């Protein structure tokens, strides 16, 4: 079952999600439904808060390999990489954002096994973007003051034109939309 994707202005998107204490059938079903929602959006990543669930997990599909990460955290990062990001929760807007180029991400899979993923460029960005959602951070918080003013203006205009946007129609990284 696909979920509606929450959009900017929804308070669930600005709250830190709670740790997942018990990986059970409910979490597995949530992950399955989130993957369906992500593919329908279409996106390449989706965090649980984006569907109104305050749990620390996200789903993704990088290079045709879907995955689920539970209670993820970045253990190491290096370099810088600028890339244009978009977000399923901020449909239709894209911004150049600087993030670390390489990361080491650690989390749990659906079987409760610890997973270590060394990621760079797009995959690293995908994971960082989704982790931001778990921390209640939207991509506009990574913008400088002038960009943020432009973003807020564009968001107001989007709401005025379409008070309930249907979401981005381009592939998006759970927030990150590919231009």
């Amino acid at each position: 079952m696909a979920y509606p994707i929450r959009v900017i202005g929804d308070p669930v998107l600005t709250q830190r999600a709670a740790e997942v204490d018990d990986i059970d059938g409910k979490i597995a079903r949530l992950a399955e439904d989130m993957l369906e929602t992500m593919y329908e959006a279409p996106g390449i990543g989706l965090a649980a808060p984006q569907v109104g669930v305050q749990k620390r997990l996200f789903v993704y599909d990088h290079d045709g390999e879907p995955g689920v990460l539970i209670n993820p955290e970045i253990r190491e990062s290096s370099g810088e990489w600028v890339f244009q990001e978009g977000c399923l929760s901020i449909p239709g807007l894209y911004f150049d954002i600087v993030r670390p180029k390489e990361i080491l991400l650690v989390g749990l899979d659906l079987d409760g096994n610890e997973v270590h993923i060394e990621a760079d460029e797009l995959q690293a960005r995908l994971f960082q973007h989704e982790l931001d959602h778990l921390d209640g951070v939207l991509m506009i918080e990574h913008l400088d003051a002038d960009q943020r003013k432009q973003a807020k203006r564009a968001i107001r205009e989007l709401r005025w034109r379409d008070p309930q946007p249907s979401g981005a129609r381009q592939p998006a990284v759970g927030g990150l939309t590919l231009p």
Side-chain angles (χ1 to χ4, degrees), residues 79-81 85 97-101 125 128-129 132 142:
E80 283 187 353
W81 193 50
E85 286 186 37
I97 295 178
V98 178
R99 292 190 185 265
K101 182 179 182 293
R125 182 167 300 268
Q128 291 171 81
H129 184 105
D132 274 355
H142 291 284

Side-chain angles (χ1 to χ4, degrees), residues 93 95 139-157:
L93 298 181
F95 304 98
M139 70 179 191
I140 62 172
E141 294 178 48
H142 291 284
L143 303 176
D144 65 33
D146 289 336
Q147 289 174 312
R148 193 172 292 155
K149 280 182 192 175
Q150 289 176 324
K152 287 180 179 182
R153 187 177 313 117
I155 290 164
R156 278 192 305 275
E157 289 172 10

Side-chain angles (χ1 to χ4, degrees), residues 95-117:
F95 304 98
D96 285 338
I97 295 178
V98 178
R99 292 190 185 265
K101 182 179 182 293
E102 300 171 337
I103 64 167
L104 171 61
L105 189 75
V106 177
L108 301 174
D109 65 16
L110 285 172
D111 294 320
N113 299 315
E114 190 169 89
V115 178
H116 295 251
I117 302 173

Side-chain angles (χ1 to χ4, degrees), residues 59-108:
V59 297
Y60 65 94
D61 187 327
H62 181 70
D63 288 340
E65 294 183 32
V68 178
L69 283 172
I70 300 167
N71 299 333
E73 61 181 66
I74 294 173
R75 295 268 175 92
E76 296 176 21
S77 66
S78 64
E80 283 187 353
W81 193 50
V82 178
F83 190 78
Q84 193 173 67
E85 286 186 37
C87 183
L88 292 173
S89 294
I90 310 174
L93 298 181
Y94 306 89
F95 304 98
D96 285 338
I97 295 178
V98 178
R99 292 190 185 265
K101 182 179 182 293
E102 300 171 337
I103 64 167
L104 171 61
L105 189 75
V106 177
L108 301 174

